[in-house]
Amino acid sequence: MLTKARLMTSGDWPTVSVVDDDPQIRAMVAEELTDSGCFVLSLKNCLALDEVLLDGTVDLVFLDVQMPDCDGIECLRSLRARGFSMPVVIFTSLNDPERRRQARDAGADDYVLKHDLLHRLPGLLERFLPRRPENRCQ
Amino acid sequence: MFGSLMGQLRLAAFVSVFAGFAAASALTLLLNRHSLLSQQQNQLSLAAASLVAPLDQLDAVPSRARASQLQLELARQSSPCRVFWVRRRDGSLLMPSPATGDPAAITRLAEQAVGIRQPEGVDGPAIPLLIGADHRLEKGMGGLTFLIHPLHRSPGGSQLWAADDIGPTIVTLRSMLLGLAVVWVLCLALTMVAISLMTRRIIQPLRDLNRMAASVTTESLASSHLRLDHAPLEVQELARAYNGLLDRLALAWSQQRHFVGLVSHELRNPLMIIAGYLRRLQRRGQNLDPEQMRALATTEAETHRITRMLNDLLDLSRSEAGHLQMTLAPVAVDEVLTTASDLARSQLSRPLLLHLPEEVAEGPVLAVAETDRLQQVLLNLIENADKYSPPGRPIHLELAREAGDVCISVRDQGIGIPPEDLPRVFDRFHRGRNAVEFERGSGLGLSVVKLLVEAMGGSIGVESELGVGSRFAIHLPAAQ
């Protein structure tokens, strides 16, 4: 279980959570985010995200849509209903205008296709986390 | 003409009508002749009634007085067109006396009839008749045609003969034959027209079926059903069988589409992981030599290619399922072109030259489109140009405004497209003759390009010259 103590150790680094059911994708995105100067919480479903949010704040969320035990867009809707206003980026392999519209209506800040994610990551971080410390690897 | 069902039907109908009509006409003619002749025979028999008794008496008790009396009676019953005479038991002829016409001519006729004298002239043997072996036709006495036959045979062996002019009967029969021939020709002509129209009508449902079947495409499989309400039973059965076949095809086709969609979707995540780590390795790898870096770059480029192909497949399967939707909005086309050419340049080993109009400096060139899809279209076209150009030749990407449209063109100096392949260049799985030899490919890229451009409300065209190059031009509606 992720504790508040660990969250506190992140210092000045912004906290970013990646919610995806595929551990390989989680791991890869997490590595990329860590390299970009973020403290990463890698979570396998929406329930885990809810637990993390009980304990502390998250500055940015990457949220998958299709997960076995939950739907990312439903999860986002419930987050917004409970008053969480941090930026949320939906990332999915579904390039479906209907899904895009649903995500926007649920309060998503962006909708990114998975194969574009790494390419667009620097731009997204610049947009949503402008006060991030210098990336140690760049 | 007789290779077709219609030709064969026409021939069969016409032959049976012709045969039926010919048989009916022949029978009519025969019956007519028979009735005319038997009428004449009856008249003869009536006339001969007064001759039979004197002949029998003469035969029983021959005497000169009786013979003279019979000759007188023969003369009384004879006329210029009807002659009676007697052939006696000993073969001698008893002619009517006094004779009504030329006595020599009548005697000649009688002698010809009973076979004592051969007929004169070149007429040859007498014409055989179908009404009896002892009947014969002879010409004589001023060209009249006589039907000659024995009328009565007395117990003593003498015969009563009659020669009757049948000229009027023949004339009647001839005119009847002529009338029949005229009616026949008219009827056959009318029948021919009627048969032509009827066979056309009978065949029409089959032609309709053929036309409908030919218009079924993979896109219209599920919605196509052949309807022939007024067709004959057999054709309706054929249409039903055909509809069953269409249903089964549509089901198989939809299952295949579903499968393609599922597979390409499931393949995307692993591809994303592969592409991601390849990218990370190239960027973060500290101790890779140039050869290893090149290998990684090639692998990454190929991964992108597979991803694009998967996207193409997904788009195709979506469009066939009717699920390809676009969110159309004004798009800054010049920016999309810049992004696409930047992306493409990172994977190309040849120059890619971008030509933007001067007005870009004043503001973006806007068209109604969807950014991602437009980019996909451009990347597909650039990849296509790259595949079919010899190394080092540049690719040109141009943007222009044309009367309410925004025109984007991708021009190469490649191998070109043969004229016979040009009309089919956007067909799915179609690959040009020279393309197959030049480079591998799926034959999907250009069909997806056309699909996407048309879904955005635009159009695409191609010009090409073998060995010189090709130019693909996209027209999109300009946004205000």
Side-chain angles (χ1 to χ4, degrees), chain B residues 226-286:
Chain B
L226 311 184
R227 286 187 62 85
L228 295 167
D229 292 334
H230 305 295
L233 207 60
E234 292 84 351
V235 180
Q236 286 197 21
E237 276 170 9
L238 189 63
R240 262 200 297 282
Y242 205 91
N243 283 337
L245 184 69
L246 277 184
D247 286 342
R248 291 195 293 280
L249 255 181
L251 182 69
W253 187 241
S254 104
Q255 282 170 343
Q256 188 199 334
R257 270 194 323 246
H258 183 69
F259 174 75
V260 169
L262 200 74
V263 167
S264 12
H265 191 254
E266 287 304 312
L267 283 175
R268 274 179 162 185
N269 276 3
L271 273 174
M272 181 212 170
I273 295 166
I274 295 170
Y277 277 115
L278 281 170
R279 189 186 152 93
R280 278 184 60 72
L281 261 178
Q282 287 178 83
R283 276 176 50 202
R284 312 281 181 198
Q286 306 292 342

Side-chain angles (χ1 to χ4, degrees), chain B residues 38-82:
Chain B
S38 62
Q39 199 181 349
Q40 205 157 14
Q41 189 85 15
N42 284 343
Q43 286 173 4
L44 270 181
S45 302
L46 273 176
S50 61
L51 295 170
V52 170
L55 175 61
D56 288 352
Q57 285 167 15
L58 176 68
D59 232 22
V61 188
S63 77
R64 180 160 286 278
R66 281 187 173 165
S68 310
Q69 199 185 347
L70 183 57
Q71 273 183 309
L72 206 64
E73 188 58 28
L74 285 171
R76 206 165 63 81
Q77 292 297 339
S78 294
S79 68
C81 52
R82 178 177 290 167

Side-chain angles (χ1 to χ4, degrees), chain B residues 296-311:
Chain B
L296 282 178
T298 308
T299 318
E300 193 194 1
E302 287 297 296
T303 315
H304 283 301
R305 213 161 72 95
I306 298 176
T307 311
R308 268 208 303 284
M309 267 176 64
L310 270 181
N311 288 342

Side-chain angles (χ1 to χ4, degrees), chain B residues 150-184:
Chain B
L151 267 182
H152 173 74
R153 183 187 287 270
S154 70
S158 298
Q159 289 173 331
L160 174 64
W161 283 73
D164 202 15
D165 174 26
I166 55 160
T169 310
I170 289 175
V171 170
T172 314
L173 278 173
R174 279 214 178 116
S175 61
M176 195 179 281
L177 183 63
L178 190 69
L180 262 178
V182 170
V183 172
W184 198 10

Side-chain angles (χ1 to χ4, degrees), chain B residues 353-370:
Chain B
L353 308 170
L354 178 61
H355 309 270
L356 295 176
E358 286 173 6
E359 58 186 280
V360 169
E362 298 157 20
V365 177
L366 295 176
V368 180
E370 194 188 294

Side-chain angles (χ1 to χ4, degrees), chain A residues 111-135:
Chain A
Y111 186 99
V112 181
L113 295 178
K114 277 187 179 172
H115 63 268
D116 275 348
L117 181 66
L118 293 190
H119 179 69
R120 290 192 54 189
L121 201 57
L124 290 170
L125 293 180
E126 195 61 43
R127 193 167 129 209
F128 296 118
L129 301 172
R131 284 195 305 277
R132 187 162 49 106
E134 278 301 300
N135 188 332

Side-chain angles (χ1 to χ4, degrees), chain B residues 126-395:
Chain B
I127 307 155
L129 289 172
L130 291 175
I131 45 177
D134 54 352
H135 287 59
R136 53 192 302 172
L137 282 176
E138 295 289 350
K139 289 206 176 233
M141 294 207 304
L144 296 179
T145 305
F146 287 92
L147 179 65
I148 300 169
H149 55 104
L151 267 182
H152 173 74
R153 183 187 287 270
S154 70
S158 298
Q159 289 173 331
L160 174 64
W161 283 73
D164 202 15
D165 174 26
I166 55 160
T169 310
I170 289 175
V171 170
T172 314
L173 278 173
R174 279 214 178 116
S175 61
M176 195 179 281
L177 183 63
L178 190 69
L180 262 178
V182 170
V183 172
W184 198 10
V185 168
L186 278 177
C187 280
L188 279 181
L190 278 175
T191 314
M192 212 164 179
V193 173
I195 287 173
S196 293
L197 291 176
M198 268 173 60
T199 45
R200 187 179 295 274
R201 219 179 126 86
I202 292 172
I203 296 295
Q204 192 56 43
L206 274 179
R207 294 191 163 187
D208 290 345
L209 188 70
N210 190 20
R211 187 174 41 75
M212 287 184 201
S215 67
V216 175
T217 61
T218 46
E219 281 77 17
S220 65
L221 256 184
S223 57
S224 297
H225 267 102
L226 311 184
R227 286 187 62 85
L228 295 167
D229 292 334
H230 305 295
L233 207 60
E234 292 84 351
V235 180
Q236 286 197 21
E237 276 170 9
L238 189 63
R240 262 200 297 282
Y242 205 91
N243 283 337
L245 184 69
L246 277 184
D247 286 342
R248 291 195 293 280
L249 255 181
L251 182 69
W253 187 241
S254 104
Q255 282 170 343
Q256 188 199 334
R257 270 194 323 246
H258 183 69
F259 174 75
V260 169
L262 200 74
V263 167
S264 12
H265 191 254
E266 287 304 312
L267 283 175
R268 274 179 162 185
N269 276 3
L271 273 174
M272 181 212 170
I273 295 166
I274 295 170
Y277 277 115
L278 281 170
R279 189 186 152 93
R280 278 184 60 72
L281 261 178
Q282 287 178 83
R283 276 176 50 202
R284 312 281 181 198
Q286 306 292 342
N287 50 358
L288 293 169
D289 61 35
E291 197 179 325
Q292 288 168 326
M293 284 298 278
R294 206 166 43 247
L296 282 178
T298 308
T299 318
E300 193 194 1
E302 287 297 296
T303 315
H304 283 301
R305 213 161 72 95
I306 298 176
T307 311
R308 268 208 303 284
M309 267 176 64
L310 270 181
N311 288 342
D312 288 351
L313 275 176
L314 264 178
D315 281 337
L316 279 178
S317 85
R318 276 201 199 117
S319 95
E320 274 153 8
H323 294 156
L324 182 67
Q325 292 164 334
M326 294 268 179
T327 316
L328 297 179
V331 167
V333 181
D334 51 301
E335 286 173 21
V336 180
L337 256 67
T338 312
T339 317
S341 48
D342 286 347
L343 269 174
R345 275 192 196 111
S346 66
Q347 289 165 28
L348 285 180
S349 54
R350 68 176 77 242
L352 173 64
L353 308 170
L354 178 61
H355 309 270
L356 295 176
E358 286 173 6
E359 58 186 280
V360 169
E362 298 157 20
V365 177
L366 295 176
V368 180
E370 194 188 294
T371 309
D372 291 344
R373 303 304 204 176
L374 184 55
Q375 186 173 311
Q376 190 182 344
V377 163
L378 293 173
L379 288 177
N380 266 355
L381 285 177
I382 294 170
E383 187 190 351
N384 192 63
D386 179 48
K387 262 200 308 204
Y388 300 114
S389 298
R393 304 259 182 91
I395 298 170

